[in-house]
Protein backbone atom coordinates (compact mmCIF):
# COMPACT_ATOMS: atom_id res chain seq x y z
CA UNK A 1 0.00 0.00 0.00
CA UNK A 2 1.27 3.46 -0.90
CA UNK A 3 1.63 5.54 2.28
CA UNK A 4 1.94 9.29 2.60
CA UNK A 5 5.24 9.99 4.32
CA UNK A 6 5.97 13.42 5.77
CA UNK A 7 9.54 14.17 6.86
CA UNK A 8 10.08 17.12 9.19
CA UNK A 9 13.72 18.01 8.74
CA UNK A 10 14.65 19.87 11.89
CA UNK A 11 18.16 21.22 11.36
CA UNK A 12 18.90 24.76 10.26
CA UNK A 13 22.21 23.58 8.73
CA UNK A 14 21.83 23.11 4.97
CA UNK A 15 23.41 19.87 3.80
CA UNK A 16 24.03 18.86 7.41
CA UNK A 17 23.86 15.47 9.02
CA UNK A 18 20.18 15.47 9.89
CA UNK A 19 19.30 16.57 6.37
CA UNK A 20 21.46 13.82 4.85
CA UNK A 21 19.74 11.19 7.00
CA UNK A 22 16.31 12.57 6.13
CA UNK A 23 17.08 12.45 2.43
CA UNK A 24 18.33 8.87 2.66
CA UNK A 25 15.15 7.93 4.53
CA UNK A 26 13.16 9.66 1.77
CA UNK A 27 15.02 7.71 -0.93
CA UNK A 28 14.26 4.45 0.83
CA UNK A 29 10.59 5.30 1.26
CA UNK A 30 10.32 6.41 -2.41
CA UNK A 31 11.98 3.18 -3.54
CA UNK A 32 9.37 1.30 -1.50
CA UNK A 33 6.68 3.04 -3.55
CA UNK A 34 5.50 5.61 -1.04
CA UNK A 35 4.62 9.25 -1.57
CA UNK A 36 7.21 11.31 0.29
CA UNK A 37 7.40 14.98 1.16
CA UNK A 38 10.14 16.67 3.18
CA UNK A 39 9.63 19.96 4.97
CA UNK A 40 12.76 21.91 5.89
CA UNK A 41 11.31 23.34 9.08
CA UNK A 42 13.66 26.29 9.39
CA UNK A 43 12.61 27.58 5.95
CA UNK A 44 9.07 27.92 7.22
CA UNK A 45 7.47 30.88 8.90
CA UNK A 46 6.43 29.47 12.30
CA UNK A 47 5.62 31.96 15.02
CA UNK A 48 6.37 30.84 18.57
CA UNK A 49 3.40 29.68 20.62
CA UNK A 50 2.65 32.36 23.19
CA UNK A 51 0.33 30.22 25.33
CA UNK A 52 -2.57 32.62 24.83
CA UNK A 53 -5.07 29.71 24.95
CA UNK A 54 -7.12 31.11 22.04
CA UNK A 55 -6.79 27.70 20.38
CA UNK A 56 -8.15 25.90 23.44
CA UNK A 57 -11.53 27.56 22.90
CA UNK A 58 -11.55 27.99 19.13
CA UNK A 59 -9.37 25.15 17.83
CA UNK A 60 -7.52 27.76 15.78
CA UNK A 61 -4.27 29.61 16.31
CA UNK A 62 -4.16 33.39 16.32
CA UNK A 63 -1.10 33.28 14.07
CA UNK A 64 -1.66 32.86 10.36
CA UNK A 65 1.59 31.45 9.06
CA UNK A 66 3.04 28.28 7.55
CA UNK A 67 1.66 26.14 10.38
CA UNK A 68 -1.69 26.04 8.59
CA UNK A 69 -0.11 24.22 5.66
CA UNK A 70 2.01 22.02 7.94
CA UNK A 71 -1.09 21.10 9.95
CA UNK A 72 -2.86 19.91 6.78
CA UNK A 73 0.16 17.88 5.71
CA UNK A 74 0.51 16.27 9.15
CA UNK A 75 -3.18 15.42 9.17
CA UNK A 76 -2.93 13.80 5.74
CA UNK A 77 0.25 11.82 6.46
CA UNK A 78 0.24 8.15 7.41
CA UNK A 79 3.87 8.32 8.50
CA UNK A 80 5.66 11.24 10.14
CA UNK A 81 9.42 11.49 10.59
CA UNK A 82 10.59 13.86 13.31
CA UNK A 83 14.25 14.80 13.09
CA UNK A 84 16.70 17.14 14.73
CA UNK A 85 20.33 17.78 15.51
CA UNK A 86 21.06 17.58 19.22
CA UNK A 87 21.43 21.10 20.58
CA UNK A 88 22.39 21.24 24.25
CA UNK A 89 21.10 17.72 24.79
CA UNK A 90 17.71 18.32 23.27
CA UNK A 91 16.01 19.15 19.96
CA UNK A 92 16.53 22.28 17.87
CA UNK A 93 14.52 25.42 18.58
CA UNK A 94 13.08 25.27 15.07
CA UNK A 95 11.40 21.87 15.47
CA UNK A 96 10.40 22.68 19.05
CA UNK A 97 8.58 25.79 17.79
CA UNK A 98 6.66 23.58 15.35
CA UNK A 99 5.73 21.08 18.07
CA UNK A 100 4.52 23.83 20.43
CA UNK A 101 2.22 25.07 17.69
CA UNK A 102 0.55 21.64 17.53
CA UNK A 103 -1.64 22.35 20.57
CA UNK A 104 -4.74 23.11 18.43
CA UNK A 105 -4.59 19.86 16.48
CA UNK A 106 -2.39 17.16 18.02
CA UNK A 107 -5.44 15.30 19.35
CA UNK A 108 -6.68 14.94 15.77
CA UNK A 109 -3.48 13.22 14.65
CA UNK A 110 -4.47 9.64 15.25
CA UNK A 111 -2.77 6.35 14.49
CA UNK A 112 0.28 7.83 12.79
CA UNK A 113 3.43 5.80 12.27
CA UNK A 114 6.43 7.59 13.73
CA UNK A 115 10.15 7.61 13.01
CA UNK A 116 12.71 9.66 14.91
CA UNK A 117 16.13 10.74 13.63
CA UNK A 118 18.66 12.65 15.72
CA UNK A 119 22.30 13.54 15.05
CA UNK A 120 24.94 14.66 17.54
CA UNK A 121 28.66 15.16 18.00
CA UNK A 122 28.74 13.11 21.18
CA UNK A 123 29.93 9.53 20.68
CA UNK A 124 27.91 8.34 23.68
CA UNK A 125 24.45 7.21 22.53
CA UNK A 126 22.89 7.89 25.94
CA UNK A 127 23.59 11.61 25.41
CA UNK A 128 21.03 11.64 22.56
CA UNK A 129 18.29 10.13 24.67
CA UNK A 130 16.90 13.42 25.95
CA UNK A 131 16.39 14.64 22.37
CA UNK A 132 14.59 11.40 21.47
CA UNK A 133 12.47 11.68 24.62
CA UNK A 134 11.59 15.26 23.70
CA UNK A 135 9.96 13.96 20.54
CA UNK A 136 8.33 11.15 22.48
CA UNK A 137 6.72 13.66 24.82
CA UNK A 138 4.59 14.45 21.80
CA UNK A 139 4.46 11.19 19.87
CA UNK A 140 4.17 8.66 22.71
CA UNK A 141 2.41 10.73 25.34
CA UNK A 142 0.13 13.03 23.31
CA UNK A 143 -0.60 11.56 19.87
CA UNK A 144 -3.35 8.97 20.18
CA UNK A 145 -2.58 5.62 18.61
CA UNK A 146 0.84 6.69 17.34
CA UNK A 147 3.22 3.80 16.86
CA UNK A 148 6.97 4.36 16.92
CA UNK A 149 8.48 2.32 14.10
CA UNK A 150 12.14 3.30 14.31
CA UNK A 151 14.77 5.55 15.79
CA UNK A 152 18.18 6.55 14.47
CA UNK A 153 20.67 8.06 16.88
CA UNK A 154 23.57 9.19 14.73
CA UNK A 155 26.38 9.61 17.24
CA UNK A 156 29.83 11.13 16.80
CA UNK A 157 29.03 13.51 13.93
CA UNK A 158 30.07 17.10 14.47
CA UNK A 159 30.99 18.57 11.09
CA UNK A 160 28.59 19.14 8.26
CA UNK A 161 28.42 15.94 6.23
CA UNK A 162 30.42 13.87 8.74
CA UNK A 163 27.60 11.34 8.81
CA UNK A 164 28.47 10.32 5.23
CA UNK A 165 31.44 8.35 6.49
CA UNK A 166 29.32 6.34 8.93
CA UNK A 167 26.80 3.54 8.58
CA UNK A 168 23.86 5.78 9.58
CA UNK A 169 22.83 6.89 6.05
CA UNK A 170 22.48 3.21 5.12
CA UNK A 171 20.38 2.63 8.22
CA UNK A 172 18.21 5.63 7.32
CA UNK A 173 17.72 4.30 3.79
CA UNK A 174 16.77 0.87 5.11
CA UNK A 175 14.38 2.41 7.60
CA UNK A 176 12.69 4.36 4.82
CA UNK A 177 12.60 1.24 2.65
CA UNK A 178 10.84 -0.63 5.46
CA UNK A 179 7.91 1.80 5.71
C1 LIG B 1 23.94 25.17 19.21
C2 LIG B 1 24.56 23.80 19.14
C3 LIG B 1 24.45 22.98 20.24
C4 LIG B 1 24.96 21.69 20.20
N1 LIG B 1 24.81 20.88 21.29
C5 LIG B 1 25.25 19.60 21.23
C6 LIG B 1 25.05 18.71 22.33
O1 LIG B 1 24.48 19.05 23.35
N2 LIG B 1 25.50 17.45 22.20
C7 LIG B 1 26.14 17.01 21.08
O2 LIG B 1 26.53 15.85 21.04
N3 LIG B 1 26.33 17.82 20.01
C8 LIG B 1 25.90 19.10 20.06
N4 LIG B 1 26.05 19.92 18.97
C9 LIG B 1 26.62 19.37 17.72
C10 LIG B 1 25.55 18.94 16.73
O3 LIG B 1 24.56 18.13 17.32
C11 LIG B 1 26.20 18.17 15.59
O4 LIG B 1 27.12 19.00 14.92
C12 LIG B 1 25.18 17.61 14.61
O5 LIG B 1 25.83 16.77 13.69
C13 LIG B 1 24.48 18.74 13.87
O6 LIG B 1 23.56 18.19 12.96
P1 LIG B 1 23.20 18.95 11.58
O7 LIG B 1 24.43 18.85 10.72
O8 LIG B 1 22.07 18.19 11.05
O9 LIG B 1 22.84 20.34 11.93
C14 LIG B 1 25.59 21.22 19.01
C15 LIG B 1 25.71 22.08 17.92
C16 LIG B 1 25.20 23.35 17.97
C17 LIG B 1 25.32 24.25 16.76
Amino acid sequence: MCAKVLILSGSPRKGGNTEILCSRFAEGACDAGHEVETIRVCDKDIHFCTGCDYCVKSGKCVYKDDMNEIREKMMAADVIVFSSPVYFYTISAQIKALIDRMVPFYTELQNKEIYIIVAAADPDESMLELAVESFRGLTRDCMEGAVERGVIKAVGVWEKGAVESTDFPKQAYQMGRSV
Side-chain angles (χ1 to χ4, degrees):
M1 197 195 83
C2 171
K4 276 184 191 291
V5 179
L6 179 66
I7 302 175
L8 300 172
S9 185
S11 176
R13 183 154 72 166
K14 264 208 168 89
N17 299 313
T18 309
E19 216 167 83
I20 289 166
L21 295 172
C22 286
S23 72
R24 293 296 286 149
F25 185 102
E27 277 171 44
C30 277
D31 288 351
H34 303 302
E35 190 187 316
V36 183
E37 178 169 1
T38 301
I39 295 178
R40 202 166 176 273
V41 174
C42 80
D43 287 344
K44 296 295 176 185
D45 175 26
I46 304 174
H47 199 288
F48 291 125
C49 173
T50 55
C52 70
D53 278 356
Y54 177 79
C55 68
V56 176
K57 292 167 213 117
S58 68
K60 290 184 194 144
C61 185
V62 288
Y63 297 109
K64 306 286 174 254
D65 58 17
D66 291 338
M67 263 323 276
N68 290 338
E69 169 205 337
I70 294 170
R71 174 181 182 154
E72 293 312 313
K73 289 181 192 294
M74 290 184 90
M75 296 287 285
D78 304 299
V79 175
I80 304 178
V81 180
F82 290 91
S83 73
S84 180
V86 172
Y87 279 1
F88 292 99
Y89 298 92
T90 186
I91 55 177
S92 70
Q94 288 84 0
I95 194 109
K96 182 62 166 66
L98 181 155
I99 290 172
D100 289 350
R101 287 287 302 284
M102 289 174 64
V103 173
F105 68 95
Y106 73 84
T107 53
E108 293 166 38
L109 295 178
Q110 287 167 4
N111 307 319
K112 305 293 182 189
E113 296 195 20
I114 304 296
Y115 292 86
I116 294 171
I117 297 174
V118 293
D122 205 307
D124 178 351
E125 208 184 87
S126 71
M127 296 300 153
L128 286 68
E129 201 50 35
L130 186 58
V132 173
E133 283 300 313
S134 299
F135 284 132
R136 287 182 179 147
L138 166 73
T139 58
R140 180 194 57 208
D141 302 333
C142 297
M143 284 170 60
E144 202 182 313
V147 180
E148 187 179 291
R149 294 282 184 211
V151 178
I152 290 181
K153 293 184 223 170
V155 291
V157 291
W158 171 264
E159 284 162 16
K160 182 168 160 173
V163 80
E164 295 280 24
S165 54
T166 71
D167 190 52
F168 296 115
K170 194 170 146 204
Q171 288 178 30
Y173 176 84
Q174 279 164 352
M175 205 174 262
R177 193 84 175 75
S178 73
V179 169

